[in-house]
Amino acid sequence: MVDRLANSEANTRRISIVENCFGAAGQPLTIPGRVLIGEGVLTKLCRKKPKARQFFLFNDILVYGNIVIQKKKYNKQHIIPLENVTIDSIQDEGDLRNGWLIKTPTKSFAVYAATATEKSEWMNHINKCVSDLLSKSGKTPSNEHAAVWVPDSEAPVCMRCQKAKFTPVNRRHHCRKCGFVVCGPCSEKRFLLPSQSSKPVRICDFCYDLLSTGEMTACQSSRSDSYSQSPKSSLNDVSDDDDDEDSSD
């Protein structure tokens, strides 16, 4: 079905509409063989708060952006190659329901659908696209993924020293290796993680020690691990700060 739609006028028109929704700031999305599989609004668990994002699933990439005008305009376009994507289901907890992790070597995050059926459809379609891409390319699934950042609201104190309380002066930072929320003194070191940046990035002392001694697997932290070591948050129990996904902290 995807091959049949690849060069159809309807598919070209649909992709053109998506391009226009992002405006001049977005990258061109129309290329030979690309098909728009589906689209919809998902709740993305950002650093500051869960926020609605418009997602577009193509047969080779996943695109999402901030909703500026409902169903009409979007900005801050993000493009994720599906060949690098792995997804894992998340158990329902409180108001956070129907979720799954989208994991890539450079960025990983949680999203939530409105219903269980919608979640199942998204996951099935993503897995099918990834499987088809890997089958055609002969590549193997990526086994390296960036950590999912623990939201600020889940850490009133540093998740490493368990002592430093966060205030407007004592800021939160995120370890790029484990995703934990840590204080400045617990994350003064930097380490080169080539899949995430060409420059050394901030990591916590715990991960730095493990990375320096070559025990890299020991400091891997999944989303469920982060949840189990930090307070649970709800969709209504977070601050109203702007999303700063690209924050250097």
Side-chain angles (χ1 to χ4, degrees), residues 124-154:
N124 287 339
H125 283 306
I126 292 173
N127 276 327
K128 179 65 165 58
C129 289
V130 173
S131 176
D132 288 347
L133 281 171
L134 293 176
S135 177
K136 290 179 180 179
S137 68
K139 296 180 180 179
T140 56
S142 175
N143 59 5
E144 183 178 359
H145 306 107
V148 179
W149 283 19
V150 175
D152 288 359
S153 58
E154 295 187 12

PDB file of all heavy atoms in Angstrom, residues 124-154:
ATOM      1  N   ASN A 124       1.842   0.286  16.467  1.00  0.00           N
ATOM      2  CA  ASN A 124       1.853  -0.710  15.392  1.00  0.00           C
ATOM      3  C   ASN A 124       2.379  -0.109  14.093  1.00  0.00           C
ATOM      4  O   ASN A 124       3.186  -0.727  13.380  1.00  0.00           O
ATOM      5  CB  ASN A 124       0.454  -1.282  15.173  1.00  0.00           C
ATOM      6  CG  ASN A 124       0.026  -2.218  16.293  1.00  0.00           C
ATOM      7  OD1 ASN A 124       0.868  -2.750  17.015  1.00  0.00           O
ATOM      8  ND2 ASN A 124      -1.270  -2.400  16.454  1.00  0.00           N
ATOM      9  N   HIS A 125       1.929   1.093  13.774  1.00  0.00           N
ATOM     10  CA  HIS A 125       2.359   1.739  12.528  1.00  0.00           C
ATOM     11  C   HIS A 125       3.838   2.104  12.583  1.00  0.00           C
ATOM     12  O   HIS A 125       4.561   1.930  11.593  1.00  0.00           O
ATOM     13  CB  HIS A 125       1.517   2.991  12.271  1.00  0.00           C
ATOM     14  CG  HIS A 125       0.146   2.706  11.750  1.00  0.00           C
ATOM     15  ND1 HIS A 125      -0.079   1.924  10.633  1.00  0.00           N
ATOM     16  CD2 HIS A 125      -1.079   3.110  12.174  1.00  0.00           C
ATOM     17  CE1 HIS A 125      -1.381   1.851  10.397  1.00  0.00           C
ATOM     18  NE2 HIS A 125      -2.008   2.558  11.327  1.00  0.00           N
ATOM     19  N   ILE A 126       4.297   2.623  13.722  1.00  0.00           N
ATOM     20  CA  ILE A 126       5.713   2.966  13.854  1.00  0.00           C
ATOM     21  C   ILE A 126       6.581   1.715  13.716  1.00  0.00           C
ATOM     22  O   ILE A 126       7.571   1.700  12.981  1.00  0.00           O
ATOM     23  CB  ILE A 126       5.995   3.661  15.198  1.00  0.00           C
ATOM     24  CG1 ILE A 126       5.334   5.048  15.228  1.00  0.00           C
ATOM     25  CG2 ILE A 126       7.507   3.802  15.428  1.00  0.00           C
ATOM     26  CD1 ILE A 126       5.428   5.746  16.585  1.00  0.00           C
ATOM     27  N   ASN A 127       6.209   0.659  14.423  1.00  0.00           N
ATOM     28  CA  ASN A 127       6.979  -0.584  14.358  1.00  0.00           C
ATOM     29  C   ASN A 127       7.021  -1.148  12.936  1.00  0.00           C
ATOM     30  O   ASN A 127       8.051  -1.653  12.481  1.00  0.00           O
ATOM     31  CB  ASN A 127       6.396  -1.631  15.313  1.00  0.00           C
ATOM     32  CG  ASN A 127       6.910  -1.479  16.730  1.00  0.00           C
ATOM     33  OD1 ASN A 127       8.051  -1.075  16.952  1.00  0.00           O
ATOM     34  ND2 ASN A 127       6.082  -1.810  17.701  1.00  0.00           N
ATOM     35  N   LYS A 128       5.906  -1.063  12.232  1.00  0.00           N
ATOM     36  CA  LYS A 128       5.845  -1.568  10.851  1.00  0.00           C
ATOM     37  C   LYS A 128       6.768  -0.756   9.951  1.00  0.00           C
ATOM     38  O   LYS A 128       7.519  -1.320   9.127  1.00  0.00           O
ATOM     39  CB  LYS A 128       4.404  -1.481  10.337  1.00  0.00           C
ATOM     40  CG  LYS A 128       4.221  -1.958   8.888  1.00  0.00           C
ATOM     41  CD  LYS A 128       4.526  -3.443   8.759  1.00  0.00           C
ATOM     42  CE  LYS A 128       4.012  -4.025   7.437  1.00  0.00           C
ATOM     43  NZ  LYS A 128       4.564  -3.369   6.248  1.00  0.00           N
ATOM     44  N   CYS A 129       6.752   0.567  10.093  1.00  0.00           N
ATOM     45  CA  CYS A 129       7.623   1.417   9.273  1.00  0.00           C
ATOM     46  C   CYS A 129       9.100   1.140   9.557  1.00  0.00           C
ATOM     47  O   CYS A 129       9.912   1.041   8.634  1.00  0.00           O
ATOM     48  CB  CYS A 129       7.325   2.895   9.542  1.00  0.00           C
ATOM     49  SG  CYS A 129       5.741   3.466   8.884  1.00  0.00           S
ATOM     50  N   VAL A 130       9.444   1.019  10.844  1.00  0.00           N
ATOM     51  CA  VAL A 130      10.826   0.739  11.226  1.00  0.00           C
ATOM     52  C   VAL A 130      11.264  -0.617  10.669  1.00  0.00           C
ATOM     53  O   VAL A 130      12.360  -0.757  10.113  1.00  0.00           O
ATOM     54  CB  VAL A 130      10.994   0.765  12.761  1.00  0.00           C
ATOM     55  CG1 VAL A 130      12.394   0.305  13.153  1.00  0.00           C
ATOM     56  CG2 VAL A 130      10.733   2.164  13.300  1.00  0.00           C
ATOM     57  N   SER A 131      10.402  -1.619  10.821  1.00  0.00           N
ATOM     58  CA  SER A 131      10.718  -2.963  10.335  1.00  0.00           C
ATOM     59  C   SER A 131      10.941  -2.977   8.827  1.00  0.00           C
ATOM     60  O   SER A 131      11.887  -3.599   8.330  1.00  0.00           O
ATOM     61  CB  SER A 131       9.577  -3.925  10.702  1.00  0.00           C
ATOM     62  OG  SER A 131       9.795  -5.209  10.173  1.00  0.00           O
ATOM     63  N   ASP A 132      10.084  -2.270   8.082  1.00  0.00           N
ATOM     64  CA  ASP A 132      10.208  -2.221   6.621  1.00  0.00           C
ATOM     65  C   ASP A 132      11.506  -1.527   6.211  1.00  0.00           C
ATOM     66  O   ASP A 132      12.203  -1.973   5.289  1.00  0.00           O
ATOM     67  CB  ASP A 132       9.014  -1.485   6.007  1.00  0.00           C
ATOM     68  CG  ASP A 132       7.732  -2.302   6.082  1.00  0.00           C
ATOM     69  OD1 ASP A 132       7.818  -3.512   6.370  1.00  0.00           O
ATOM     70  OD2 ASP A 132       6.654  -1.718   5.850  1.00  0.00           O
ATOM     71  N   LEU A 133      11.840  -0.438   6.906  1.00  0.00           N
ATOM     72  CA  LEU A 133      13.066   0.293   6.588  1.00  0.00           C
ATOM     73  C   LEU A 133      14.302  -0.556   6.832  1.00  0.00           C
ATOM     74  O   LEU A 133      15.217  -0.607   6.004  1.00  0.00           O
ATOM     75  CB  LEU A 133      13.151   1.574   7.432  1.00  0.00           C
ATOM     76  CG  LEU A 133      12.317   2.761   6.987  1.00  0.00           C
ATOM     77  CD1 LEU A 133      12.358   3.852   8.055  1.00  0.00           C
ATOM     78  CD2 LEU A 133      12.812   3.310   5.659  1.00  0.00           C
ATOM     79  N   LEU A 134      14.347  -1.222   7.975  1.00  0.00           N
ATOM     80  CA  LEU A 134      15.507  -2.055   8.304  1.00  0.00           C
ATOM     81  C   LEU A 134      15.616  -3.244   7.356  1.00  0.00           C
ATOM     82  O   LEU A 134      16.712  -3.656   6.981  1.00  0.00           O
ATOM     83  CB  LEU A 134      15.408  -2.535   9.750  1.00  0.00           C
ATOM     84  CG  LEU A 134      15.526  -1.445  10.832  1.00  0.00           C
ATOM     85  CD1 LEU A 134      15.322  -2.045  12.209  1.00  0.00           C
ATOM     86  CD2 LEU A 134      16.881  -0.748  10.748  1.00  0.00           C
ATOM     87  N   SER A 135      14.484  -3.775   6.956  1.00  0.00           N
ATOM     88  CA  SER A 135      14.479  -4.910   6.031  1.00  0.00           C
ATOM     89  C   SER A 135      15.050  -4.500   4.670  1.00  0.00           C
ATOM     90  O   SER A 135      15.835  -5.243   4.063  1.00  0.00           O
ATOM     91  CB  SER A 135      13.054  -5.431   5.861  1.00  0.00           C
ATOM     92  OG  SER A 135      13.003  -6.485   4.917  1.00  0.00           O
ATOM     93  N   LYS A 136      14.670  -3.308   4.215  1.00  0.00           N
ATOM     94  CA  LYS A 136      15.147  -2.834   2.913  1.00  0.00           C
ATOM     95  C   LYS A 136      16.628  -2.465   2.940  1.00  0.00           C
ATOM     96  O   LYS A 136      17.353  -2.682   1.979  1.00  0.00           O
ATOM     97  CB  LYS A 136      14.318  -1.624   2.466  1.00  0.00           C
ATOM     98  CG  LYS A 136      12.885  -1.954   2.087  1.00  0.00           C
ATOM     99  CD  LYS A 136      12.122  -0.703   1.690  1.00  0.00           C
ATOM    100  CE  LYS A 136      10.678  -1.040   1.319  1.00  0.00           C
ATOM    101  NZ  LYS A 136       9.912   0.177   0.949  1.00  0.00           N
ATOM    102  N   SER A 137      17.062  -1.892   4.053  1.00  0.00           N
ATOM    103  CA  SER A 137      18.444  -1.416   4.145  1.00  0.00           C
ATOM    104  C   SER A 137      19.421  -2.504   4.587  1.00  0.00           C
ATOM    105  O   SER A 137      20.630  -2.397   4.369  1.00  0.00           O
ATOM    106  CB  SER A 137      18.540  -0.240   5.113  1.00  0.00           C
ATOM    107  OG  SER A 137      18.282  -0.668   6.452  1.00  0.00           O
ATOM    108  N   GLY A 138      18.886  -3.550   5.228  1.00  0.00           N
ATOM    109  CA  GLY A 138      19.742  -4.610   5.747  1.00  0.00           C
ATOM    110  C   GLY A 138      20.441  -4.232   7.033  1.00  0.00           C
ATOM    111  O   GLY A 138      21.304  -4.964   7.523  1.00  0.00           O
ATOM    112  N   LYS A 139      20.076  -3.083   7.602  1.00  0.00           N
ATOM    113  CA  LYS A 139      20.688  -2.631   8.851  1.00  0.00           C
ATOM    114  C   LYS A 139      20.058  -3.330  10.044  1.00  0.00           C
ATOM    115  O   LYS A 139      18.980  -3.918   9.948  1.00  0.00           O
ATOM    116  CB  LYS A 139      20.520  -1.110   8.999  1.00  0.00           C
ATOM    117  CG  LYS A 139      21.231  -0.297   7.937  1.00  0.00           C
ATOM    118  CD  LYS A 139      21.028   1.195   8.157  1.00  0.00           C
ATOM    119  CE  LYS A 139      21.736   2.021   7.092  1.00  0.00           C
ATOM    120  NZ  LYS A 139      21.517   3.481   7.290  1.00  0.00           N
ATOM    121  N   THR A 140      20.732  -3.257  11.181  1.00  0.00           N
ATOM    122  CA  THR A 140      20.200  -3.827  12.412  1.00  0.00           C
ATOM    123  C   THR A 140      19.644  -2.706  13.286  1.00  0.00           C
ATOM    124  O   THR A 140      20.098  -1.554  13.189  1.00  0.00           O
ATOM    125  CB  THR A 140      21.290  -4.582  13.193  1.00  0.00           C
ATOM    126  OG1 THR A 140      22.390  -3.679  13.447  1.00  0.00           O
ATOM    127  CG2 THR A 140      21.796  -5.762  12.390  1.00  0.00           C
ATOM    128  N   PRO A 141      18.690  -3.000  14.154  1.00  0.00           N
ATOM    129  CA  PRO A 141      18.128  -1.971  15.032  1.00  0.00           C
ATOM    130  C   PRO A 141      19.194  -1.337  15.911  1.00  0.00           C
ATOM    131  O   PRO A 141      20.139  -2.009  16.347  1.00  0.00           O
ATOM    132  CB  PRO A 141      17.107  -2.749  15.872  1.00  0.00           C
ATOM    133  CG  PRO A 141      16.780  -3.954  15.065  1.00  0.00           C
ATOM    134  CD  PRO A 141      18.047  -4.306  14.344  1.00  0.00           C
ATOM    135  N   SER A 142      19.061  -0.056  16.176  1.00  0.00           N
ATOM    136  CA  SER A 142      20.016   0.647  17.037  1.00  0.00           C
ATOM    137  C   SER A 142      19.908   0.134  18.460  1.00  0.00           C
ATOM    138  O   SER A 142      18.817  -0.054  18.990  1.00  0.00           O
ATOM    139  CB  SER A 142      19.739   2.150  17.004  1.00  0.00           C
ATOM    140  OG  SER A 142      20.574   2.832  17.912  1.00  0.00           O
ATOM    141  N   ASN A 143      21.062  -0.137  19.080  1.00  0.00           N
ATOM    142  CA  ASN A 143      21.047  -0.600  20.474  1.00  0.00           C
ATOM    143  C   ASN A 143      21.563   0.470  21.425  1.00  0.00           C
ATOM    144  O   ASN A 143      21.785   0.204  22.601  1.00  0.00           O
ATOM    145  CB  ASN A 143      21.871  -1.883  20.619  1.00  0.00           C
ATOM    146  CG  ASN A 143      23.327  -1.691  20.184  1.00  0.00           C
ATOM    147  OD1 ASN A 143      23.740  -0.576  19.864  1.00  0.00           O
ATOM    148  ND2 ASN A 143      24.079  -2.770  20.167  1.00  0.00           N
ATOM    149  N   GLU A 144      21.753   1.684  20.916  1.00  0.00           N
ATOM    150  CA  GLU A 144      22.185   2.794  21.760  1.00  0.00           C
ATOM    151  C   GLU A 144      21.133   3.890  21.734  1.00  0.00           C
ATOM    152  O   GLU A 144      20.728   4.340  20.657  1.00  0.00           O
ATOM    153  CB  GLU A 144      23.519   3.358  21.272  1.00  0.00           C
ATOM    154  CG  GLU A 144      24.061   4.480  22.154  1.00  0.00           C
ATOM    155  CD  GLU A 144      25.399   5.009  21.690  1.00  0.00           C
ATOM    156  OE1 GLU A 144      25.918   4.484  20.685  1.00  0.00           O
ATOM    157  OE2 GLU A 144      25.923   5.939  22.317  1.00  0.00           O
ATOM    158  N   HIS A 145      20.683   4.296  22.917  1.00  0.00           N
ATOM    159  CA  HIS A 145      19.632   5.301  22.992  1.00  0.00           C
ATOM    160  C   HIS A 145      19.966   6.346  24.048  1.00  0.00           C
ATOM    161  O   HIS A 145      20.524   6.027  25.097  1.00  0.00           O
ATOM    162  CB  HIS A 145      18.287   4.655  23.332  1.00  0.00           C
ATOM    163  CG  HIS A 145      17.896   3.547  22.412  1.00  0.00           C
ATOM    164  ND1 HIS A 145      17.924   2.220  22.793  1.00  0.00           N
ATOM    165  CD2 HIS A 145      17.507   3.558  21.112  1.00  0.00           C
ATOM    166  CE1 HIS A 145      17.553   1.464  21.766  1.00  0.00           C
ATOM    167  NE2 HIS A 145      17.300   2.254  20.743  1.00  0.00           N
ATOM    168  N   ALA A 146      19.611   7.580  23.740  1.00  0.00           N
ATOM    169  CA  ALA A 146      19.783   8.647  24.718  1.00  0.00           C
ATOM    170  C   ALA A 146      18.822   8.424  25.882  1.00  0.00           C
ATOM    171  O   ALA A 146      17.756   7.821  25.718  1.00  0.00           O
ATOM    172  CB  ALA A 146      19.500  10.009  24.069  1.00  0.00           C
ATOM    173  N   ALA A 147      19.212   8.897  27.067  1.00  0.00           N
ATOM    174  CA  ALA A 147      18.357   8.735  28.237  1.00  0.00           C
ATOM    175  C   ALA A 147      17.106   9.601  28.118  1.00  0.00           C
ATOM    176  O   ALA A 147      17.127  10.675  27.515  1.00  0.00           O
ATOM    177  CB  ALA A 147      19.130   9.136  29.498  1.00  0.00           C
ATOM    178  N   VAL A 148      16.021   9.124  28.681  1.00  0.00           N
ATOM    179  CA  VAL A 148      14.795   9.919  28.778  1.00  0.00           C
ATOM    180  C   VAL A 148      14.935  10.828  29.990  1.00  0.00           C
ATOM    181  O   VAL A 148      15.159  10.348  31.103  1.00  0.00           O
ATOM    182  CB  VAL A 148      13.557   9.016  28.940  1.00  0.00           C
ATOM    183  CG1 VAL A 148      12.290   9.856  29.056  1.00  0.00           C
ATOM    184  CG2 VAL A 148      13.455   8.046  27.766  1.00  0.00           C
ATOM    185  N   TRP A 149      14.832  12.114  29.799  1.00  0.00           N
ATOM    186  CA  TRP A 149      14.984  13.051  30.907  1.00  0.00           C
ATOM    187  C   TRP A 149      13.840  12.951  31.909  1.00  0.00           C
ATOM    188  O   TRP A 149      12.664  12.926  31.526  1.00  0.00           O
ATOM    189  CB  TRP A 149      15.036  14.484  30.383  1.00  0.00           C
ATOM    190  CG  TRP A 149      16.341  14.866  29.772  1.00  0.00           C
ATOM    191  CD1 TRP A 149      17.314  14.022  29.311  1.00  0.00           C
ATOM    192  CD2 TRP A 149      16.825  16.195  29.537  1.00  0.00           C
ATOM    193  NE1 TRP A 149      18.366  14.737  28.801  1.00  0.00           N
ATOM    194  CE2 TRP A 149      18.096  16.065  28.923  1.00  0.00           C
ATOM    195  CE3 TRP A 149      16.301  17.460  29.782  1.00  0.00           C
ATOM    196  CZ2 TRP A 149      18.849  17.181  28.549  1.00  0.00           C
ATOM    197  CZ3 TRP A 149      17.053  18.566  29.403  1.00  0.00           C
ATOM    198  CH2 TRP A 149      18.307  18.428  28.806  1.00  0.00           C
ATOM    199  N   VAL A 150      14.174  12.893  33.171  1.00  0.00           N
ATOM    200  CA  VAL A 150      13.174  12.944  34.229  1.00  0.00           C
ATOM    201  C   VAL A 150      12.635  14.384  34.295  1.00  0.00           C
ATOM    202  O   VAL A 150      13.427  15.329  34.361  1.00  0.00           O
ATOM    203  CB  VAL A 150      13.779  12.552  35.591  1.00  0.00           C
ATOM    204  CG1 VAL A 150      12.764  12.728  36.710  1.00  0.00           C
ATOM    205  CG2 VAL A 150      14.295  11.116  35.549  1.00  0.00           C
ATOM    206  N   PRO A 151      11.326  14.592  34.269  1.00  0.00           N
ATOM    207  CA  PRO A 151      10.778  15.958  34.341  1.00  0.00           C
ATOM    208  C   PRO A 151      11.198  16.667  35.623  1.00  0.00           C
ATOM    209  O   PRO A 151      11.342  16.036  36.678  1.00  0.00           O
ATOM    210  CB  PRO A 151       9.263  15.727  34.309  1.00  0.00           C
ATOM    211  CG  PRO A 151       9.099  14.428  33.603  1.00  0.00           C
ATOM    212  CD  PRO A 151      10.266  13.584  34.053  1.00  0.00           C
ATOM    213  N   ASP A 152      11.393  17.963  35.535  1.00  0.00           N
ATOM    214  CA  ASP A 152      11.791  18.760  36.697  1.00  0.00           C
ATOM    215  C   ASP A 152      10.880  18.538  37.888  1.00  0.00           C
ATOM    216  O   ASP A 152      11.321  18.485  39.038  1.00  0.00           O
ATOM    217  CB  ASP A 152      11.783  20.253  36.341  1.00  0.00           C
ATOM    218  CG  ASP A 152      12.945  20.629  35.430  1.00  0.00           C
ATOM    219  OD1 ASP A 152      13.748  19.742  35.096  1.00  0.00           O
ATOM    220  OD2 ASP A 152      13.034  21.810  35.058  1.00  0.00           O
ATOM    221  N   SER A 153       9.581  18.429  37.613  1.00  0.00           N
ATOM    222  CA  SER A 153       8.595  18.339  38.693  1.00  0.00           C
ATOM    223  C   SER A 153       8.732  17.074  39.527  1.00  0.00           C
ATOM    224  O   SER A 153       8.203  16.997  40.637  1.00  0.00           O
ATOM    225  CB  SER A 153       7.180  18.410  38.115  1.00  0.00           C
ATOM    226  OG  SER A 153       6.969  17.369  37.182  1.00  0.00           O
ATOM    227  N   GLU A 154       9.436  16.071  39.019  1.00  0.00           N
ATOM    228  CA  GLU A 154       9.580  14.812  39.742  1.00  0.00           C
ATOM    229  C   GLU A 154      10.764  14.812  40.701  1.00  0.00           C
ATOM    230  O   GLU A 154      10.991  13.834  41.400  1.00  0.00           O
ATOM    231  CB  GLU A 154       9.722  13.651  38.751  1.00  0.00           C
ATOM    232  CG  GLU A 154       8.487  13.425  37.909  1.00  0.00           C
ATOM    233  CD  GLU A 154       8.581  12.180  37.063  1.00  0.00           C
ATOM    234  OE1 GLU A 154       9.506  11.376  37.301  1.00  0.00           O
ATOM    235  OE2 GLU A 154       7.740  12.006  36.179  1.00  0.00           O
TER     236      GLU A 154
END
